[in-house]
Amino acid sequence: MPIDLSVYQKILSTCSAYKAKLVAVSKTKPVADIQELYAAGQRDFAENYVQELLEKQPQLPSDIRWHFIGHLQSNKVKQIAGIVHLIHGVDSVKLLQEIDKQGKRIGKTIACLLQVHIAREETKFGFDETSLKAFWEDIFSKRLFFDHVQIDGFMGMASFSEDQDLVRSEFRSLKSIAASYLPNGIISMGMSADYQLALEEGSNLIRIGSLLFGSRN
Ligand SMILES: *Cc1c(COP(=O)(O)O)cnc(C)c1O
């Protein structure tokens, strides 16, 4: 499907008003769609399945910055270590250790965001505030030092809800967590349905899929 570049331009100008970065979420979409947005100047794209990323990446220009936004299993880190620009969903020490190990193997420091569970909805993924605090203390007090991992910030997803106050308060909680741990870090929050709220609440990186590429099946 051809991409509506006026939507792209509009999102870009909103991003620039908030000094935020736009990551185009291309999951399930064909390489041709990515090429179209690439031709319009977009360089940051995101996938959420390892296999899909591995299939698409070699078919596309090498200056694309690939973001991994799905749940990453430790045993798959090795496959994407060399091509990934930023891993958004790190939610355990075990995963961080594996990323560090693979970074060491290929001589690359791999940039990561810690995923924080901010939505009211139940999910298995992401740190809650208590486990994040414990994790942070472990890393810094016990000097679990990962020299091939760089923690650049935080990522979160708000509830899938019409309740704007709820969504806003969830974004606000991530912003406040991010500010207390890494004041100048990346705050990856906001998707097609809620990016405006996310930007108003302090996001500096939005992940937009369906608004750019059309809805997914
Ligand atoms: C799919 C996905 C997005 C993009 O969702 P849209 O609603 O299509 O914009 C953003 N972040 C994550 C983690 C996703 O899995």
Side-chain angles (χ1 to χ4, degrees), residues 93-185:
V93 176
K94 180 172 171 254
L95 179 56
L96 209 56
Q97 279 168 330
E98 180 61 22
I99 295 170
D100 186 55
K101 180 177 157 194
Q102 296 306 329
K104 200 165 291 168
R105 183 179 61 86
I106 60 172
K108 171 182 173 185
T109 298
I110 300 175
C112 296
L113 304 180
L114 301 180
Q115 184 169 353
V116 182
H117 177 212
I118 51 170
R120 191 176 291 173
E121 290 149 10
E122 283 297 316
T123 156
K124 301 192 290 272
F125 307 129
F127 292 100
D128 60 28
E129 272 189 68
T130 315
S131 61
L132 178 64
K133 189 159 184 284
F135 168 84
W136 206 266
E137 283 167 3
D138 269 0
I139 287 192
F140 292 103
S141 65
K142 293 184 194 159
R143 298 177 189 278
L144 287 175
F145 196 69
F146 300 114
D147 54 358
H148 286 79
V149 166
Q150 184 172 310
I151 297 173
D152 278 344
F154 294 89
M155 179 268 216
M157 273 182 281
S159 294
F160 185 72
S161 167
E162 301 275 289
D163 181 349
Q164 298 216 342
D165 292 336
L166 173 68
V167 171
R168 204 181 265 288
S169 72
E170 292 171 352
F171 285 143
R172 197 171 296 156
S173 75
L174 183 58
K175 163 75 185 179
S176 122
I177 290 168
S180 69
Y181 288 98
L182 286 174
N184 300 313

Side-chain angles (χ1 to χ4, degrees), residues 4-24:
D4 184 346
L5 289 178
S6 71
V7 172
Y8 175 57
Q9 295 303 340
K10 178 180 163 284
I11 300 172
L12 270 188
S13 66
T14 305
C15 277
S16 101
Y18 287 92
K19 298 192 166 54
K21 177 174 224 161
L22 171 63
V23 173

Side-chain angles (χ1 to χ4, degrees), residues 25 27 48 69 155 157 191-193 207-210 216:
V25 178
K27 63 188 185 194
N48 69 334
I69 58 171
M155 179 268 216
M157 273 182 281
M191 319 189 349
S192 292
R207 311 175 308 267
I208 306 291
S210 45
R216 294 176 297 271

Side-chain angles (χ1 to χ4, degrees), residues 71-97:
H71 181 68
L72 183 57
Q73 292 168 284
S74 297
N75 61 5
K76 300 211 168 142
V77 174
K78 186 175 187 175
Q79 297 176 270
I80 64 165
I83 56 177
V84 79
H85 170 71
L86 181 63
I87 298 175
H88 287 234
V90 175
D91 62 357
S92 71
V93 176
K94 180 172 171 254
L95 179 56
L96 209 56
Q97 279 168 330

